[in-house]
Coordinates of all heavy atoms in Angstrom, one line a residue:
P28 N 88.0 6.4 23.7 CA 87.3 5.9 22.5 C 86.2 6.9 22.0 O 85.5 7.6 22.7 CB 86.6 4.7 22.9 CG 86.6 4.7 24.4 CD 87.7 5.6 24.8
V29 N 86.1 7.0 20.6 CA 85.1 7.9 20.0 C 83.8 7.4 20.5 O 83.5 6.2 20.6 CB 85.3 7.8 18.5 CG1 84.9 6.4 17.9 CG2 84.5 8.9 17.8
S30 N 82.9 8.4 20.7 CA 81.5 8.1 21.2 C 80.7 7.6 20.0 O 81.0 7.9 18.8 CB 80.9 9.3 21.8 OG 80.7 10.3 20.8
L31 N 79.6 7.0 20.3 CA 78.6 6.6 19.3 C 78.1 7.8 18.6 O 77.9 7.7 17.3 CB 77.5 5.8 19.9 CG 76.4 5.3 19.0 CD1 76.9 4.4 17.9 CD2 75.3 4.6 19.8
E32 N 77.8 8.9 19.3 CA 77.3 10.1 18.7 C 78.3 10.6 17.6 O 77.9 10.9 16.5 CB 77.0 11.2 19.7 CG 76.6 12.5 19.2 CD 76.4 13.6 20.2 OE1 76.5 13.3 21.4 OE2 76.3 14.7 19.8
V33 N 79.5 10.7 17.9 CA 80.5 11.2 17.0 C 80.7 10.2 15.8 O 80.8 10.6 14.7 CB 81.9 11.5 17.7 CG1 83.0 11.8 16.7 CG2 81.7 12.6 18.7
A34 N 80.7 8.9 16.2 CA 80.9 7.9 15.1 C 79.7 8.0 14.1 O 79.9 7.8 12.9 CB 80.9 6.5 15.7
R35 N 78.5 8.2 14.6 CA 77.3 8.3 13.7 C 77.5 9.6 12.8 O 77.2 9.5 11.6 CB 76.1 8.4 14.5 CG 75.6 7.1 15.0 CD 74.3 7.2 15.8 NE 73.8 5.9 16.2 CZ 73.0 5.7 17.2 NH1 72.5 6.8 17.9 NH2 72.6 4.5 17.6
R36 N 78.0 10.7 13.4 CA 78.2 11.9 12.6 C 79.2 11.7 11.6 O 79.1 12.1 10.4 CB 78.6 13.0 13.6 CG 78.7 14.4 12.9 CD 78.9 15.5 13.9 NE 80.2 15.4 14.6 CZ 80.3 15.5 16.0 NH1 79.2 15.7 16.7 NH2 81.5 15.4 16.5
V37 N 80.3 11.0 11.9 CA 81.4 10.7 10.9 C 80.8 9.8 9.8 O 81.0 10.1 8.6 CB 82.5 10.0 11.6 CG1 83.5 9.3 10.6 CG2 83.3 10.9 12.6
A38 N 80.1 8.8 10.1 CA 79.5 7.9 9.1 C 78.5 8.7 8.2 O 78.5 8.5 7.0 CB 78.8 6.7 9.7
A39 N 77.7 9.6 8.8 CA 76.7 10.3 8.0 C 77.4 11.3 7.1 O 76.9 11.4 5.9 CB 75.8 11.1 9.0
A40 N 78.5 11.9 7.5 CA 79.2 12.8 6.6 C 79.8 12.0 5.4 O 79.8 12.5 4.3 CB 80.3 13.6 7.4
A41 N 80.4 10.9 5.8 CA 81.0 10.0 4.7 C 79.9 9.5 3.7 O 80.1 9.6 2.5 CB 81.7 8.8 5.3
E42 N 78.7 9.1 4.3 CA 77.6 8.7 3.4 C 77.2 9.8 2.5 O 76.9 9.6 1.3 CB 76.5 8.2 4.2 CG 75.3 7.7 3.3 CD 74.1 7.3 4.0 OE1 74.1 7.3 5.3 OE2 73.1 7.0 3.3
A43 N 77.1 11.0 3.0 CA 76.6 12.2 2.2 C 77.6 12.4 1.0 O 77.2 12.7 -0.1 CB 76.5 13.4 3.1
E44 N 78.9 12.3 1.3 CA 79.9 12.4 0.2 C 79.7 11.3 -0.8 O 79.8 11.6 -2.0 CB 81.3 12.4 0.8 CG 82.4 12.6 -0.2 CD 82.5 13.9 -0.9 OE1 81.9 14.9 -0.4 OE2 83.2 14.0 -1.9
A45 N 79.6 10.1 -0.4 CA 79.4 9.0 -1.3 C 78.1 9.1 -2.1 O 78.1 8.9 -3.3 CB 79.3 7.6 -0.5
R46 N 77.0 9.5 -1.5 CA 75.8 9.7 -2.2 C 75.9 10.8 -3.3 O 75.3 10.7 -4.3 CB 74.6 10.0 -1.3 CG 74.1 8.8 -0.5 CD 72.8 9.1 0.1 NE 72.4 8.0 0.9 CZ 72.0 6.8 0.5 NH1 71.9 6.6 -0.8 NH2 71.7 5.8 1.3
A47 N 76.6 11.9 -2.9 CA 76.8 13.0 -3.9 C 77.4 12.5 -5.2 O 77.2 13.2 -6.2 CB 77.6 14.1 -3.2
H48 N 78.2 11.5 -5.1 CA 78.9 10.9 -6.3 C 78.2 9.7 -6.9 O 78.7 9.1 -7.9 CB 80.3 10.7 -6.0 CG 81.1 12.0 -5.6 ND1 81.5 12.9 -6.6 CD2 81.4 12.5 -4.4 CE1 82.1 13.9 -6.0 NE2 82.0 13.7 -4.7
G49 N 77.2 9.2 -6.2 CA 76.6 7.9 -6.6 C 77.4 6.7 -6.4 O 77.3 5.7 -7.1
W50 N 78.2 6.7 -5.3 CA 79.1 5.6 -5.0 C 78.6 4.8 -3.9 O 78.5 5.2 -2.7 CB 80.5 6.2 -4.6 CG 81.2 7.0 -5.6 CD1 81.1 6.9 -7.0 CD2 82.2 8.0 -5.3 NE1 82.0 7.8 -7.6 CE2 82.7 8.4 -6.6 CE3 82.8 8.5 -4.2 CZ2 83.7 9.4 -6.7 CZ3 83.8 9.5 -4.3 CH2 84.2 9.9 -5.6
P51 N 78.2 3.5 -4.1 CA 77.8 2.7 -3.0 C 79.0 2.2 -2.2 O 79.9 1.6 -2.7 CB 77.1 1.5 -3.8 CG 77.8 1.5 -5.1 CD 78.2 2.9 -5.4
M52 N 79.0 2.5 -1.0 CA 80.1 2.3 -0.1 C 79.7 1.6 1.2 O 78.6 1.6 1.6 CB 80.7 3.7 0.3 CG 81.2 4.5 -0.8 SD 82.8 3.9 -1.3 CE 83.5 5.3 -2.1
V53 N 80.8 1.0 1.8 CA 80.7 0.5 3.2 C 81.6 1.4 4.0 O 82.7 1.7 3.7 CB 81.1 -0.9 3.3 CG1 81.1 -1.4 4.7 CG2 80.2 -1.8 2.4
I54 N 81.0 1.9 5.2 CA 81.7 2.8 6.0 C 81.8 2.1 7.4 O 80.8 1.7 8.0 CB 80.9 4.1 6.1 CG1 80.8 4.7 4.8 CG2 81.6 5.1 7.1 CD1 79.6 5.7 4.6
A55 N 83.0 2.0 7.9 CA 83.3 1.4 9.2 C 84.0 2.5 10.1 O 84.9 3.2 9.7 CB 84.2 0.2 9.2
V56 N 83.5 2.7 11.3 CA 84.1 3.6 12.3 C 84.4 2.7 13.5 O 83.6 2.0 14.1 CB 83.1 4.7 12.7 CG1 83.8 5.6 13.7 CG2 82.7 5.5 11.4
M57 N 85.7 2.8 13.9 CA 86.2 2.1 15.1 C 86.7 3.0 16.1 O 87.1 4.2 15.8 CB 87.3 1.1 14.6 CG 86.8 0.0 13.8 SD 88.0 -1.3 13.6 CE 87.0 -2.5 12.7
D58 N 86.7 2.6 17.3 CA 87.2 3.4 18.4 C 88.7 3.2 18.6 O 89.4 2.5 17.8 CB 86.5 3.1 19.7 CG 86.7 1.7 20.3 OD1 87.7 1.0 19.9 OD2 85.9 1.3 21.2
S59 N 89.3 3.9 19.6 CA 90.7 3.9 19.8 C 91.3 2.5 20.2 O 92.5 2.4 20.3 CB 91.1 4.9 20.8 OG 90.4 4.8 22.0
A60 N 90.5 1.5 20.4 CA 90.9 0.2 20.7 C 90.6 -0.8 19.6 O 90.7 -2.0 19.7 CB 90.3 -0.3 22.0
A61 N 90.3 -0.2 18.4 CA 89.9 -1.0 17.2 C 88.7 -1.8 17.4 O 88.6 -2.9 16.8 CB 91.1 -1.8 16.7
N62 N 87.8 -1.3 18.2 CA 86.5 -2.0 18.3 C 85.5 -1.3 17.4 O 85.4 0.0 17.3 CB 85.9 -1.9 19.8 CG 86.8 -2.6 20.7 OD1 87.1 -3.8 20.6 ND2 87.3 -1.9 21.8
L63 N 84.7 -2.0 16.7 CA 83.7 -1.5 15.8 C 82.6 -0.7 16.5 O 82.1 -1.2 17.5 CB 83.1 -2.6 15.0 CG 82.1 -2.2 13.9 CD1 82.8 -1.4 12.8 CD2 81.5 -3.5 13.2
V64 N 82.4 0.5 16.1 CA 81.3 1.4 16.7 C 80.2 1.5 15.7 O 79.0 1.3 16.1 CB 81.9 2.8 17.1 CG1 80.8 3.6 17.7 CG2 83.1 2.6 18.0
V65 N 80.5 1.7 14.5 CA 79.4 1.9 13.4 C 79.9 1.1 12.2 O 81.0 1.3 11.8 CB 79.1 3.4 13.1 CG1 78.2 3.5 11.9 CG2 78.5 4.1 14.3
L66 N 79.0 0.3 11.6 CA 79.2 -0.3 10.3 C 78.0 0.1 9.5 O 76.9 -0.2 9.8 CB 79.4 -1.8 10.4 CG 79.6 -2.5 9.1 CD1 81.0 -2.0 8.5 CD2 79.6 -4.0 9.2
H67 N 78.2 0.7 8.4 CA 77.2 1.3 7.5 C 77.4 0.8 6.1 O 78.3 1.2 5.5 CB 77.2 2.8 7.6 CG 76.1 3.5 7.0 ND1 74.8 3.6 7.6 CD2 76.0 4.1 5.8 CE1 74.0 4.3 6.8 NE2 74.7 4.6 5.7
K68 N 76.5 -0.1 5.6 CA 76.6 -0.6 4.3 C 75.5 0.1 3.5 O 74.3 -0.2 3.7 CB 76.5 -2.1 4.2 CG 76.5 -2.7 2.8 CD 76.3 -4.2 2.9 CE 76.2 -4.8 1.5 NZ 75.0 -4.3 0.7
M69 N 75.9 0.9 2.5 CA 74.9 1.5 1.6 C 74.3 0.5 0.7 O 74.9 -0.5 0.4 CB 75.5 2.7 0.8 CG 76.0 3.8 1.7 SD 77.0 5.0 0.8 CE 75.8 5.7 -0.3
D70 N 73.1 0.7 0.2 CA 72.4 -0.1 -0.8 C 73.3 -0.3 -2.0 O 74.0 0.7 -2.4 CB 71.1 0.4 -1.2 CG 70.0 0.4 -0.1 OD1 70.2 -0.3 0.8 OD2 69.1 1.2 -0.3
D71 N 73.4 -1.5 -2.5 CA 74.2 -1.8 -3.7 C 75.7 -1.9 -3.5 O 76.4 -2.1 -4.4 CB 73.8 -1.0 -4.9 CG 72.4 -1.1 -5.3 OD1 71.8 -2.2 -5.3 OD2 71.7 0.0 -5.6
A72 N 76.2 -1.7 -2.3 CA 77.6 -1.8 -2.0 C 78.0 -3.3 -2.1 O 77.2 -4.1 -1.7 CB 78.0 -1.2 -0.6
Q73 N 79.2 -3.5 -2.6 CA 79.6 -4.9 -2.8 C 79.9 -5.5 -1.4 O 80.4 -4.8 -0.5 CB 80.8 -5.0 -3.6 CG 82.0 -4.2 -3.1 CD 83.1 -4.0 -4.2 OE1 82.9 -4.3 -5.4 NE2 84.3 -3.6 -3.8
T74 N 79.5 -6.8 -1.2 CA 79.6 -7.4 0.1 C 81.1 -7.5 0.6 O 81.3 -7.5 1.8 CB 78.9 -8.7 0.2 OG1 79.4 -9.6 -0.8 CG2 77.4 -8.6 0.0
G75 N 82.0 -7.7 -0.4 CA 83.4 -7.8 0.0 C 83.9 -6.6 0.7 O 84.9 -6.6 1.5

């Protein structure tokens, strides 16, 4: 399974790309067993 450190790095890189375009996003990173490791909801992202 992906480590928390790597999952945070993945989410941070995704957030940087979203911010660069002004896109409010939700970013989920799961491990190799489909367990949630990081869930990152940017401000103004739709709850759905």
